[in-house]
Amino acid sequence: MTPILELRGITKSFPGVLANDHINLSLNQGEILALLGENGAGKSTLMNILYGLYQPDEGEILINGEKVVINSPTDAIKHGIGMVHQHFMLIPVFTVTENVMLGDEAVKQAGFLDRPRAAKRILDISNKYNLAVDPDSYVRDLPVGVQQRVEIIKLLYRDAEILIFDEPTAVLTPQEADELFLIMRTLVQQGKSIIFITHKLREVLAIADRIMVIRRGTVVGETLPENSDKNTLASMMVGREVNLVVDKRACHPGEVICEVQNMVVADKFQNIVVDDVSFEIRAGEILGLAGVQGNGQTELVEALTGLQHMVSGKVTLMGEDASKFSPRQITELGSAHVPEDRQADGLVLPFTVAENLVLCSYYKQPYAKGIVLQYNHILQNAEKLIKDFDIRTPSAMTSVGSLSGGNQQKVIIARELSRPIQFLVASQPTRGLDVGSIEYIHKRIVEKRDEGCAILLVSPELDEIMELSDRIAVMYRGQLIATVENKGISKEYIGLLMAGVVPETPIEPAADHVIEATF
Ligand code: ADP
Ligand code: MG
C-alpha cells in the first residue's frame, strides 16, 4: 500500500543547529503516528516543513506517492495537510462559524459569506467526528479544550486528510486530553490520518498505532506501543538509560533554615489565600508542598521569596527575620528561587544565555567592576554552566528566548543551583519538561539536599512530590491540612488530603492501585 504521506531525507539547519538530519517518515492512511522526542529534538521543525512554513535544505515530500512542493500553508491545505498549532489562531470575539470561514479559499473566491450554509456544514462535521461544537458560540466563551476542537473543525472544513497535532495536550487538563484522544480515534476510524507530536510517554502508549522517536534531529527508532514501555521509550528518546525513579538516600536533617510562623497572605482582592500557615525546613531535607493548584501555594511562595507582602506572620531564614525583606535581600541571604512562571519571573528572554546565567550576581565581583560588566568572566561562567547542566544552546551568546522550554528551565536551574545557597524554593521545577530533563533536574535537587541545602518543593504533580520529598505538607484552601513523613504512606492518602479529607490512618501503599488519573 502506498503511504498517504512520505518524507524522504528531509534536512534543515538553523544557524548553529542541525534541526532535521535526513529524516525519513511515512504515514499510512487511517493511522495515528506518534512522533516522540525531547524538547529541541526537531519535531516542530519537521512539521513546519510539512506545513509549508519552512523550506527544507534537502529532501522531498510525497503525497499518495506523488512528489509535491509545499511553499506555504495554503499549498499544504491544497494537498490535504492541516496543522493544529500549540497556540491557537482563533479570534476570541468571533463566533465559531466566523472563525472557521475566516481565510477559507472558497469564501474568498465566492466573495461573500454564506453563514447559514457554513454553520450547517460545521454542525455536520461536528456530529460526524463527535466534536460537540456549537457553530454559533463565541470563541471567547469556550474552554481551551473546545477551542482546540474549533481548530480541528477549521482543518476538516478545508478537507484536510492528514492532520498534524503539535503537542496538543500541553494546554489541556488530563480529562480534556482523554477527550481529545477519543476524537483522534474517531478521526482515524473515519479515514483521516494523524501525526501526533508529544514528549509524553504515557500519551504515545495510550493513543499511537506506531511510534517514531527522534533525537537531535535524526530518527533513532520506530516501534509499536504493544512492543514497548515507558523505560525503553525514555531511553530511545534521551539516548541513554533513564532512571524514571529518583535515587535518593535517607536524609539527615540539620539546623532549621527556614521557619514560617502564622503566615497570612491576601490576594489582590483582599481575600485571605494563605491562612495561618506554619512550618519549618531543616538543612538537608526536602519539604514537598502538595495540593491541587490554586490552594494558596503560589502566594505562599511569593511571600517566602519577597515577591509579595504578608498580611501578618513571620519568616525566619538562616536565623534572620526576613519577613519584610525584598527579593534581592532574600537572595543575598543565600536563598534561591526556581519560579513557577519561568518566562515571566525567571528569565529576561531577549538577553543572552550568558547574561541570564548571572542575573542574580551581575552587579558583583567578578562580573562587574564598578559599573563596567566584565564580559570575559560572564562568558567563562556561562561556558562552565552550559557544560555542567547540559544546556542545549548554539552558543552562550544566543538569546534565551530562542531556546526550547526545557533548556530555558535548565538555565534557571543552573543559575540558581550553582550559587552557594542554603535554601531553595523550587516551584513546579519540571512543568512541561520531557523525561530526560526531569530526571536531570530531580537529580540536581537531591544533590543540593545532600550538600545540606533546605528545600521547599512545590508541585501539583503528586508523583514528583512523593519521589523527592522527605516530608510532605498538604495545602488545602490556604491551610496546611497535614504534614507527614514521606515513609510508608500511599498516594491515596495524600490524594485524600489534597481533596480536604483527613483520613484517620495513613493507608498502606497498594502497589497496583494508582490514583494519578484523579489529579
Ligand atoms: P521540538 O519541536 O522537537 O521541541 P524544534 O523543532 O522546535 O524542536 O527545534 C529543533 C532545534 O532547532 C532546536 O535546537 C531549536 O532551538 C532550533 N530551532 C527551531 N526553530 C528555529 C528557528 N526558527 N531559528 C533558529 N533555530 C531554531
Ligand atoms: Mg515543538
Side-chain angles (χ1 to χ4, degrees):
M1 195 175 71
T2 315
I4 187 165
L5 170 74
E6 207 178 333
L7 302 181
R8 289 190 189 155
I10 297 286
T11 299
K12 175 79 183 172
S13 56
F14 295 111
V17 194
L18 186 53
N20 287 168
D21 185 5
H22 295 91
I23 292 193
N24 297 323
L25 170 157
S26 70
L27 176 70
N28 297 316
Q29 202 233 321
E31 141 180 275
I32 300 179
L33 172 69
L35 201 56
L36 178 71
E38 283 196 283
N39 282 319
K43 308 179 295 291
S44 295
T45 301
L46 187 66
M47 292 304 116
N48 286 334
I49 288 171
L50 181 55
Y51 194 54
L53 289 167
Y54 294 154
Q55 291 309 305
D57 303 337
E58 276 179 54
E60 52 191 35
I61 302 173
L62 289 86
I63 292 183
N64 292 316
E66 306 263 327
K67 230 158 107 172
V68 295
V69 177
I70 302 175
N71 281 321
S72 66
T74 312
D75 283 354
I77 290 160
K78 270 191 207 138
H79 287 108
I81 300 170
M83 175 136 142
V84 177
H85 294 271
Q86 242 167 37
H87 303 287
F88 305 147
M89 305 192 175
L90 300 171
I91 299 177
V93 295
F94 283 8
T95 65
V96 169
T97 305
E98 287 162 348
N99 267 285
V100 171
M101 294 177 81
L102 208 71
D104 183 50
E105 287 298 303
V107 173
K108 271 192 211 154
Q109 276 159 22
F112 64 91
L113 300 175
D114 187 349
R115 265 173 239 246
R117 217 174 85 190
K120 167 80 175 52
R121 190 145 168 247
I122 291 168
L123 202 60
D124 289 345
I125 292 172
S126 172
N127 291 339
K128 180 167 175 193
Y129 299 100
N130 283 327
L131 293 165
V133 169
D134 171 6
D136 296 327
S137 41
Y138 284 90
V139 162
R140 60 159 183 252
D141 300 331
L142 301 176
V144 172
V146 183
Q147 290 189 23
Q148 191 177 53
R149 304 210 288 263
V150 176
E151 288 281 2
I152 298 172
I153 288 184
K154 261 168 82 177
L155 304 180
L156 297 170
Y157 192 88
R158 288 157 178 71
D159 299 317
E161 290 299 326
I162 298 168
L163 301 165
I164 305 167
F165 289 86
D166 191 354
E167 310 241 7
T169 60
V171 292
L172 303 180
T173 66
Q175 288 84 351
E176 285 174 330
D178 288 341
E179 284 169 26
L180 174 67
F181 290 165
L182 285 178
I183 290 166
M184 286 167 63
R185 265 292 140 223
T186 313
L187 285 164
V188 291
Q189 271 157 15
Q190 305 269 359
K192 304 291 179 190
S193 313
I194 293 179
I195 301 180
F196 168 55
I197 299 181
T198 185
H199 61 256
K200 294 185 186 163
L201 303 168
R202 187 184 71 80
E203 296 183 347
V204 290
L205 291 170
I207 189 70
D209 294 315
R210 194 156 56 92
I211 303 167
M212 226 178 86
V213 185
I214 70 173
R215 186 170 76 231
R216 296 199 183 196
T218 55
V219 177
V220 293
E222 202 193 291
T223 179
L224 301 175
E226 54 271 30
N227 298 340
S228 53
D229 56 34
K230 281 191 182 178
N231 279 309
T232 45
L233 288 175
S235 305
M236 281 168 85
M237 221 165 119
V238 181
R240 57 177 166 80
E241 282 295 304
V242 174
N243 237 332
L244 294 173
V245 179
V246 187
D247 206 8
K248 191 161 141 276
R249 284 171 287 153
C251 87
H252 303 285
E255 62 191 312
V256 175
I257 295 289
C258 164
E259 186 178 14
V260 171
Q261 290 164 289
N262 309 104
M263 177 191 276
V264 176
V265 186
D267 66 11
K268 57 177 183 276
F269 308 109
Q270 307 307 320
N271 301 312
I272 300 296
V273 283
V274 177
D275 187 2
D276 197 20
V277 164
S278 302
F279 61 89
E280 55 180 45
I281 312 172
R282 291 173 176 273
E285 76 164 346
I286 300 175
L287 176 68
L289 188 62
V292 177
Q293 249 171 317
N295 275 276
Q297 301 96 314
T298 306
E299 291 82 2
L300 184 151
V301 166
E302 284 179 353
L304 200 54
T305 53
L307 292 167
Q308 194 179 330
H309 287 301
M310 293 185 288
V311 174
S312 60
K314 185 176 178 193
V315 172
T316 312
L317 295 176
M318 285 65 94
E320 279 200 51
D321 183 350
S323 308
K324 295 206 162 63
F325 277 17
S326 68
R328 185 181 279 192
Q329 284 173 306
I330 289 175
T331 306
E332 305 241 297
L333 275 180
S335 86
H337 180 205
V338 176
E340 184 178 313
D341 184 346
R342 54 183 168 245
Q343 299 211 336
D345 299 329
L347 296 167
V348 183
L349 295 179
F351 283 20
T352 62
V353 171
E355 287 162 340
N356 273 280
L357 284 168
V358 294
L359 274 189
C360 307
S361 40
Y362 64 90
Y363 51 89
K364 287 192 295 210
Q365 291 271 20
Y367 306 123
K369 260 194 195 147
I371 54 163
V372 183
L373 292 180
Q374 301 294 304
Y375 249 91
N376 51 341
H377 287 290
I378 292 176
L379 275 177
Q380 270 172 25
N381 172 70
E383 297 298 345
K384 181 173 184 316
L385 293 182
I386 286 170
K387 196 159 151 282
D388 288 357
F389 286 80
D390 190 27
I391 300 166
R392 309 265 170 87
T393 174
S395 87
M397 296 309 286
T398 304
S399 70
V400 147
S402 70
L403 301 190
S404 68
N407 284 301
Q408 290 183 358
Q409 183 76 340
K410 282 186 190 168
V411 170
I412 297 178
I413 300 260
R415 180 185 70 215
E416 298 298 311
L417 270 57
S418 60
R419 293 186 286 128
I421 53 166
Q422 288 179 277
F423 180 45
L424 168 68
V425 179
S427 271
Q428 306 192 19
T430 60
R431 181 167 68 171
L433 301 191
D434 50 73
V435 278
S437 306
I438 292 174
E439 180 207 24
Y440 188 81
I441 287 170
H442 283 175
K443 248 163 83 181
R444 288 291 177 153
I445 290 176
V446 171
E447 261 171 42
K448 214 63 197 172
R449 178 201 76 158
D450 292 343
E451 286 168 18
C453 189
I455 298 172
L456 178 68
L457 169 73
V458 185
S459 175
E461 301 285 343
L462 196 47
D463 286 329
E464 181 166 58
I465 292 275
M466 299 213 48
E467 265 177 39
L468 293 184
S469 312
D470 300 305
R471 285 185 302 132
I472 300 175
V474 184
M475 205 159 176
Y476 177 73
R477 296 200 174 159
Q479 299 188 320
L480 282 193
I481 125 166
T483 304
V484 293
E485 292 283 323
N486 188 11
K487 273 195 201 120
I489 49 167
S490 65
K491 266 192 182 178
E492 287 85 342
Y493 178 67
I494 302 292
L496 285 171
L497 290 170
M498 285 167 71
V501 180
V502 185
E504 290 206 346
T505 51
I507 306 159
E508 283 301 308
D512 53 352
H513 188 122
V514 181
I515 53 158
E516 67 192 317
T518 327
F519 297 99

